[in-house]
Coordinates of all heavy atoms in Angstrom, one line a residue:
E1 N 128.0 -57.4 -51.2 CA 127.1 -56.3 -51.2 C 127.5 -55.3 -50.1 O 127.5 -54.1 -50.3 CB 125.7 -56.8 -51.0 CG 125.0 -57.4 -52.2 CD 125.1 -56.6 -53.4 OE1 124.7 -55.4 -53.3 OE2 125.5 -57.0 -54.5
K2 N 127.9 -55.8 -49.0 CA 128.3 -54.9 -47.9 C 129.6 -54.2 -48.3 O 129.7 -53.0 -48.0 CB 128.6 -55.8 -46.6 CG 128.9 -55.0 -45.4 CD 129.0 -55.8 -44.2 CE 129.4 -55.0 -42.9 NZ 129.5 -55.9 -41.7
Y3 N 130.5 -54.9 -49.0 CA 131.8 -54.2 -49.4 C 131.5 -53.1 -50.4 O 132.1 -52.0 -50.3 CB 132.7 -55.3 -50.0 CG 134.1 -54.8 -50.4 CD1 135.1 -54.8 -49.4 CD2 134.3 -54.2 -51.6 CE1 136.4 -54.3 -49.7 CE2 135.6 -53.7 -51.9 CZ 136.6 -53.8 -51.0 OH 137.9 -53.3 -51.3
R4 N 130.5 -53.4 -51.3 CA 130.2 -52.3 -52.3 C 129.7 -51.1 -51.6 O 129.9 -50.0 -52.0 CB 129.1 -52.9 -53.3 CG 129.6 -54.0 -54.2 CD 128.5 -54.3 -55.2 NE 128.7 -55.5 -56.0 CZ 129.5 -55.6 -57.1 NH1 130.1 -54.5 -57.5 NH2 129.6 -56.7 -57.7
K5 N 128.9 -51.3 -50.6 CA 128.3 -50.1 -49.9 C 129.3 -49.3 -49.1 O 129.1 -48.1 -48.9 CB 127.1 -50.6 -49.0 CG 125.9 -51.1 -49.8 CD 124.9 -51.7 -48.8 CE 123.7 -52.3 -49.6 NZ 122.7 -52.9 -48.6
T6 N 130.3 -50.0 -48.6 CA 131.2 -49.3 -47.7 C 132.5 -48.9 -48.4 O 133.4 -48.3 -47.7 CB 131.6 -50.3 -46.5 OG1 132.1 -51.5 -47.0 CG2 130.4 -50.5 -45.6
H7 N 132.7 -49.2 -49.7 CA 133.9 -48.8 -50.4 C 133.5 -48.1 -51.7 O 133.0 -48.7 -52.6 CB 134.7 -50.0 -50.8 CG 135.4 -50.7 -49.6 ND1 134.6 -51.5 -48.7 CD2 136.7 -50.7 -49.1 CE1 135.5 -51.9 -47.8 NE2 136.7 -51.5 -48.0
T8 N 133.6 -46.8 -51.6 CA 133.1 -45.9 -52.7 C 134.1 -45.8 -53.8 O 133.8 -45.5 -54.9 CB 132.8 -44.5 -52.2 OG1 134.0 -44.0 -51.5 CG2 131.6 -44.6 -51.2
G9 N 135.4 -46.1 -53.5 CA 136.4 -46.0 -54.6 C 136.4 -47.1 -55.6 O 135.6 -48.1 -55.4
N10 N 137.2 -47.1 -56.6 CA 137.3 -48.1 -57.6 C 138.0 -49.4 -57.0 O 139.0 -49.2 -56.2 CB 138.1 -47.7 -58.8 CG 137.3 -46.6 -59.6 OD1 136.1 -46.6 -59.6 ND2 138.1 -45.6 -60.1
F11 N 137.5 -50.5 -57.4 CA 138.2 -51.7 -57.0 C 138.0 -52.8 -58.0 O 137.0 -52.8 -58.8 CB 137.7 -52.2 -55.6 CG 136.2 -52.7 -55.6 CD1 135.9 -54.0 -55.8 CD2 135.2 -51.7 -55.2 CE1 134.5 -54.4 -55.8 CE2 133.9 -52.1 -55.2 CZ 133.6 -53.4 -55.4
T12 N 138.9 -53.7 -58.1 CA 138.8 -54.9 -59.0 C 138.3 -56.1 -58.2 O 138.8 -56.3 -57.1 CB 140.2 -55.2 -59.6 OG1 140.7 -54.0 -60.2 CG2 140.1 -56.3 -60.6
L13 N 137.5 -56.8 -58.9 CA 136.9 -58.0 -58.2 C 137.3 -59.3 -58.9 O 137.2 -59.4 -60.1 CB 135.3 -57.9 -58.2 CG 134.6 -58.8 -57.3 CD1 134.9 -58.5 -55.8 CD2 133.1 -58.8 -57.6
Q14 N 138.0 -60.1 -58.1 CA 138.4 -61.4 -58.6 C 137.4 -62.5 -58.1 O 137.2 -62.6 -56.9 CB 139.8 -61.7 -58.2 CG 140.3 -63.1 -58.7 CD 141.8 -63.3 -58.3 OE1 142.4 -62.5 -57.7 NE2 142.3 -64.5 -58.6
R15 N 136.8 -63.3 -59.0 CA 135.9 -64.3 -58.7 C 136.6 -65.7 -58.7 O 137.2 -66.0 -59.7 CB 134.7 -64.3 -59.6 CG 133.8 -65.5 -59.6 CD 132.9 -65.4 -58.4 NE 131.6 -66.1 -58.6 CZ 131.3 -67.4 -58.2 NH1 132.2 -68.1 -57.7 NH2 130.1 -67.9 -58.4
Y16 N 136.5 -66.4 -57.6 CA 137.1 -67.7 -57.5 C 136.1 -68.8 -57.9 O 135.2 -69.0 -57.1 CB 137.7 -68.0 -56.2 CG 138.8 -67.1 -55.7 CD1 138.7 -66.2 -54.7 CD2 140.1 -67.2 -56.4 CE1 139.7 -65.4 -54.3 CE2 141.1 -66.4 -56.0 CZ 140.9 -65.5 -55.0 OH 142.0 -64.7 -54.6
K17 N 136.2 -69.4 -59.0 CA 135.3 -70.5 -59.4 C 135.7 -71.8 -58.8 O 134.9 -72.7 -58.7 CB 135.3 -70.7 -60.9 CG 134.6 -69.6 -61.7 CD 133.1 -69.5 -61.3 CE 132.3 -70.7 -61.9 NZ 130.9 -70.5 -61.5
G18 N 136.9 -71.9 -58.3 CA 137.4 -73.2 -57.7 C 138.6 -73.0 -56.9 O 139.4 -72.0 -57.0
L19 N 138.9 -73.9 -56.0 CA 140.1 -73.8 -55.1 C 141.4 -73.9 -56.0 O 142.4 -73.4 -55.6 CB 140.1 -75.0 -54.1 CG 139.0 -74.9 -53.1 CD1 138.9 -76.2 -52.3 CD2 139.3 -73.8 -52.1
G20 N 141.3 -74.6 -57.1 CA 142.4 -74.7 -58.0 C 142.9 -73.4 -58.6 O 144.0 -73.3 -59.1
E21 N 142.1 -72.4 -58.5 CA 142.5 -71.1 -59.1 C 143.3 -70.3 -58.1 O 143.9 -69.2 -58.4 CB 141.2 -70.3 -59.4 CG 140.4 -70.9 -60.6 CD 139.3 -70.0 -61.0 OE1 139.1 -68.8 -60.4 OE2 138.4 -70.4 -61.8
M22 N 143.4 -70.7 -56.8 CA 144.2 -70.0 -55.8 C 145.6 -70.6 -55.8 O 145.8 -71.8 -55.9 CB 143.6 -70.2 -54.4 CG 142.2 -69.6 -54.2 SD 141.7 -69.7 -52.5 CE 140.0 -69.2 -52.7
D23 N 146.6 -69.7 -55.6 CA 147.9 -70.2 -55.4 C 148.1 -70.6 -53.9 O 147.2 -70.4 -53.1 CB 149.0 -69.2 -55.8 CG 148.8 -67.8 -55.0 OD1 148.4 -67.9 -53.8 OD2 149.1 -66.8 -55.6
A24 N 149.2 -71.2 -53.6 CA 149.4 -71.8 -52.2 C 149.2 -70.7 -51.1 O 148.6 -70.9 -50.1 CB 150.7 -72.4 -52.1
E25 N 149.8 -69.5 -51.4 CA 149.7 -68.5 -50.4 C 148.3 -68.0 -50.1 O 147.8 -67.9 -49.0 CB 150.5 -67.3 -50.8 CG 150.6 -66.2 -49.8 CD 151.4 -65.0 -50.2 OE1 152.1 -65.1 -51.3 OE2 151.4 -64.0 -49.5
Q26 N 147.5 -67.9 -51.2 CA 146.1 -67.5 -51.0 C 145.3 -68.6 -50.3 O 144.4 -68.3 -49.5 CB 145.5 -67.2 -52.4 CG 146.0 -65.9 -53.1 CD 145.4 -65.8 -54.5 OE1 145.2 -66.8 -55.2 NE2 145.3 -64.6 -54.9
L27 N 145.5 -69.8 -50.7 CA 144.8 -70.9 -50.0 C 145.1 -71.0 -48.5 O 144.2 -71.2 -47.7 CB 145.2 -72.2 -50.7 CG 144.2 -73.4 -50.5 CD1 142.8 -73.1 -51.0 CD2 144.8 -74.6 -51.3
W28 N 146.4 -70.7 -48.2 CA 146.7 -70.7 -46.8 C 146.0 -69.7 -46.0 O 145.4 -69.9 -45.0 CB 148.3 -70.6 -46.6 CG 148.7 -70.3 -45.2 CD1 149.1 -69.1 -44.7 CD2 148.7 -71.2 -44.1 NE1 149.3 -69.1 -43.4 CE2 149.1 -70.4 -42.9 CE3 148.3 -72.5 -43.9 CZ2 149.2 -71.0 -41.7 CZ3 148.5 -73.1 -42.6 CH2 148.9 -72.3 -41.6
E29 N 146.1 -68.4 -46.5 CA 145.5 -67.3 -45.7 C 144.0 -67.3 -45.7 O 143.4 -66.7 -44.8 CB 146.1 -66.0 -46.2 CG 145.8 -65.6 -47.6 CD 146.5 -64.3 -48.0 OE1 147.5 -64.0 -47.4 OE2 146.0 -63.7 -49.0
T30 N 143.4 -67.9 -46.6 CA 141.9 -67.9 -46.7 C 141.2 -69.2 -46.1 O 140.1 -69.1 -45.5 CB 141.4 -67.7 -48.1 OG1 141.8 -68.9 -48.9 CG2 141.9 -66.4 -48.7
T31 N 141.9 -70.3 -46.3 CA 141.2 -71.6 -46.0 C 141.9 -72.5 -45.1 O 141.2 -73.3 -44.4 CB 140.9 -72.3 -47.3 OG1 140.4 -71.4 -48.3 CG2 139.8 -73.4 -47.2
L32 N 143.2 -72.4 -44.9 CA 144.0 -73.3 -44.1 C 144.5 -72.8 -42.8 O 144.6 -73.5 -41.8 CB 145.2 -73.9 -44.9 CG 144.9 -74.7 -46.1 CD1 146.2 -75.0 -46.9 CD2 144.2 -76.0 -45.7
D33 N 144.7 -71.5 -42.8 CA 145.3 -70.8 -41.6 C 144.3 -70.8 -40.4 O 143.3 -70.2 -40.5 CB 145.8 -69.4 -41.9 CG 146.4 -68.7 -40.7 OD1 146.6 -69.4 -39.7 OD2 146.7 -67.5 -40.8
P34 N 144.6 -71.5 -39.3 CA 143.6 -71.6 -38.2 C 143.3 -70.2 -37.6 O 142.2 -70.1 -37.0 CB 144.3 -72.5 -37.2 CG 145.3 -73.3 -38.0 CD 145.7 -72.4 -39.1
E35 N 144.2 -69.3 -37.8 CA 143.9 -67.9 -37.2 C 142.9 -67.1 -38.1 O 142.3 -66.2 -37.6 CB 145.3 -67.2 -37.1 CG 146.3 -67.8 -36.2 CD 145.8 -67.9 -34.8 OE1 145.1 -66.9 -34.3 OE2 146.0 -68.9 -34.1
R36 N 142.8 -67.4 -39.4 CA 142.0 -66.6 -40.3 C 140.9 -67.3 -41.0 O 140.0 -66.6 -41.5 CB 143.0 -65.9 -41.3 CG 143.9 -64.9 -40.7 CD 144.8 -64.3 -41.8 NE 145.9 -65.2 -42.1 CZ 146.9 -64.9 -43.0 NH1 146.9 -63.7 -43.6 NH2 147.8 -65.7 -43.2

């Protein structure tokens, strides 16, 4: 909701139903990388 309010341009939204839908790179940068 916050993103919708602060981004007026067009954007595509990808919904993750499960961890299995992420590739290795996405899983690292969102869930495994201690920095992020």
Side-chain angles (χ1 to χ4, degrees):
E1 286 305 310
K2 185 176 180 181
Y3 187 88
R4 290 187 194 277
K5 292 176 182 178
T6 54
H7 292 75
T8 54
N10 293 327
F11 65 89
T12 304
L13 194 65
Q14 182 178 353
R15 167 76 150 95
Y16 295 115
K17 288 296 290 181
L19 294 167
E21 294 183 7
M22 294 185 189
D23 58 33
E25 184 179 353
Q26 291 174 328
L27 198 57
W28 166 255
E29 63 186 20
T30 63
T31 317
L32 294 172
D33 181 5
E35 298 297 322
R36 290 178 283 183

